[in-house]
Amino acid sequence: MTCACSTTKKIWVGAILAIVIIGALTAFAYTSEQNALRDSTRQGMMSTVSVMATQINASDIAGLTPGDEMSPQYLAVARHLETMRSMDDNILNAYILKVNPDETATFLVDDLYPLDPQGSAKIGEVSTAPDRDEIFAALSGPTASKEPYTTKYGSFLSAYAPIDDSVNDSGGNTVAVLAIDISAKDYNNETSKGGFILLTGIVSMILVVGAIFFGTKGIRDTEKKAE
């Protein structure tokens, strides 16, 4: 009787251990996959915005002030941003931010403004994105949002890069920051492709536990008879 109970307990313990081990390995693999996808997406955005920033001449945005949104100078920059943005279907918006001494970031050019003045940012409008640290860090190099965020314009993940006053000289002075947005939904879809790992883990747990119980069925039947 004692032996029978002991063997049955061992079977249960073995099954539980199998579930714990497979579960832990599955969670580790899933987390690693998610982190890799997030890093890959952010790195891709930073690479894209860095290249785009080199195509903006500081002289093209110099002197823009509130009310200039429909001026030839503003429209030329907005069209240039729109042209670059249209080369990547994932980018929803491209815009230029000015970083101010009072530690605010204000819009300078929004490529959507000519098409949607009411739904776009005007010159001088303060950015309400929680990416303050990333925007300021972009004065010296490309950065990206750590996580998606939401403003009155929608939910996004953004990347930023410096616009220098010397296009061909990386040692130039930063005069503004170029930003690009992708939708938070697209970002979440792109970084949530680890479902197969979870499915595999669940199936593995079922198969292992099933193998343990079916494989020990004879032992358990013998124990029951012994009782």
Side-chain angles (χ1 to χ4, degrees):
M1 180 72 175
T2 303
C3 179
C5 292
S6 176
T7 301
T8 301
K9 287 182 179 179
K10 289 179 180 179
I11 293 173
W12 276 107
V13 170
I16 293 172
L17 284 175
I19 292 173
V20 171
I21 292 172
I22 295 174
L25 292 174
T26 299
F28 176 77
Y30 180 76
T31 301
S32 298
E33 177 74 6
Q34 294 298 293
N35 290 337
L37 289 171
R38 291 190 185 100
D39 290 343
S40 175
T41 300
R42 293 176 71 249
Q43 288 295 329
M45 290 184 66
M46 287 190 286
S47 176
T48 297
V49 76
S50 293
V51 172
M52 291 174 64
T54 64
Q55 306 305 307
I56 302 296
N57 288 309
S59 59
D60 292 340
I61 57 176
L64 286 174
T65 57
D68 289 341
E69 285 82 5
M70 298 305 290
S71 67
Q73 179 185 1
Y74 183 100
L75 293 175
V77 177
R79 281 194 295 268
H80 186 40
L81 290 176
E82 181 186 9
T83 298
M84 290 192 290
R85 169 176 60 82
S86 65
M87 295 179 182
D88 188 331
D89 293 337
N90 293 316
I91 302 176
L92 296 178
N93 194 193
Y95 49 97
I96 298 173
L97 297 169
K98 180 181 179 181
V99 178
N100 305 299
D102 64 357
E103 298 188 346
T104 61
T106 52
F107 286 89
L108 197 56
V109 179
D110 185 338
D111 78 331
L112 295 177
Y113 188 88
L115 298 175
D116 183 17
Q118 299 303 316
S120 306
K122 295 182 179 180
I123 298 173
E125 180 179 327
V126 177
S127 171
T128 57
D131 282 349
R132 178 184 172 280
D133 291 344
E134 286 72 27
I135 293 171
F136 273 77
L139 291 172
S140 57
T143 60
S145 309
K146 291 183 174 63
E147 297 291 341
Y149 63 87
T150 299
T151 68
K152 68 178 182 179
Y153 296 112
S155 298
F156 311 100
L157 187 89
S158 303
Y160 310 92
I163 297 174
D164 291 340
D165 58 8
S166 177
V167 177
N168 298 315
D169 180 6
S170 60
N173 297 314
T174 300
V175 296
V177 171
L178 176 64
I180 58 173
D181 296 338
I182 65 171
S183 76
K185 181 179 180 181
D186 287 347
Y187 171 75
N188 290 329
N189 289 339
E190 184 66 25
T191 58
S192 299
K193 296 180 178 179
F196 181 73
I197 293 176
L198 293 178
L199 178 62
T200 301
I202 293 172
V203 171
S204 297
M205 284 188 277
I206 294 173
L207 291 176
V208 170
V209 172
I212 289 173
F213 277 88
F214 282 110
T216 58
K217 185 176 182 299
I219 296 174
R220 287 182 283 113
D221 288 344
T222 299
E223 291 175 349
K224 287 181 180 179
K225 292 177 181 179
E227 293 176 5

